[in-house]
Amino acid sequence: MRARYKPWADDYLNEQTSYVELEPAANKGSWQSRFKQEQPLHLEIGAGKGQFITGMAKQHPEINFIAIEVAKSVIVSAVQKVVELAPDNVKLINDDAKDLTEIFTENELDRIYLNFSDPWPKNRHEKRRLTFKSFLRQYQKILKTDGEIVLKTDNKALFEYSLISFSQFGLVLDEVCLDLHHLNDPTNVMTEYEEKFSSKGQSIYRCRARFPK
Ligand code: SAM
């Protein structure tokens, strides 16, 4: 997701300490203490401008949400949405998801969302895909035994790649949906990319996967 360079982004993020976790690794193993209530913990990776996380936080006050986004100029829009909503169940992290095991301890998360992740179509960039085996290894550690990964994308190649990568890693697929919007799932919260692509008539794919017990 591209966004114009925002010279004020650093100062803005540093000021929003109610929602932005400036030292996320310091919370490893104690994320629940950062929230008002102890309740299931869900992580969105590559949160973009925050439409999904704010929508989910409103729909699910019984869940604590953390969203991680690497691009500073993008996450500031998510922070602005969260500040406006003022939920007590959302925290945001401006970081790369490549070192998640430094931020979360084993079995700390109940669910991981991968929404419209960058597809990195070139073979030489396979390692950057958020469903590459090195990422799955991290997810396996930080997710609880019955925790799940929920992936949505418009990108058929990334979807197929992810299904194969999940299967090769031994994950169990609980759902494989090739046209999410025809399911008319009233609980589905759309991301910015999801709105953009579905308005152009593109199918949205979704799958749910679990590591075996
Ligand atoms: N999830 C949003 C949506 O569906 O509208 C944004 C999708 S956008 C295509 C992918 C986002 O993931 C970008 O904002 C990008 O900066 C972020 N991203 C990509 N790789 C990441 C990583 N390793 N760690 C954290 N964020 C990442």
Side-chain angles (χ1 to χ4, degrees), residues 155-186:
N155 189 297
K156 193 172 179 214
L158 179 70
F159 192 65
E160 287 171 352
Y161 171 85
S162 302
L163 291 178
I164 292 167
S165 186
F166 289 160
S167 301
Q168 286 176 343
F169 208 87
L171 279 107
V172 179
L173 292 166
D174 288 330
E175 180 195 48
V176 176
C177 175
L178 302 181
D179 196 353
L180 176 61
H181 292 177
H182 278 96
L183 275 187
N184 291 324
D185 175 356

Side-chain angles (χ1 to χ4, degrees), residues 1 44 46 48 69-71 95-97 115-116 118 130 191-193:
M1 181 174 274
E44 184 191 15
E69 167 55 55
V70 70
D95 208 344
D96 194 312
N115 290 323
F116 298 81
D118 294 331
L130 293 179
T191 78
E192 280 95 353
Y193 270 62

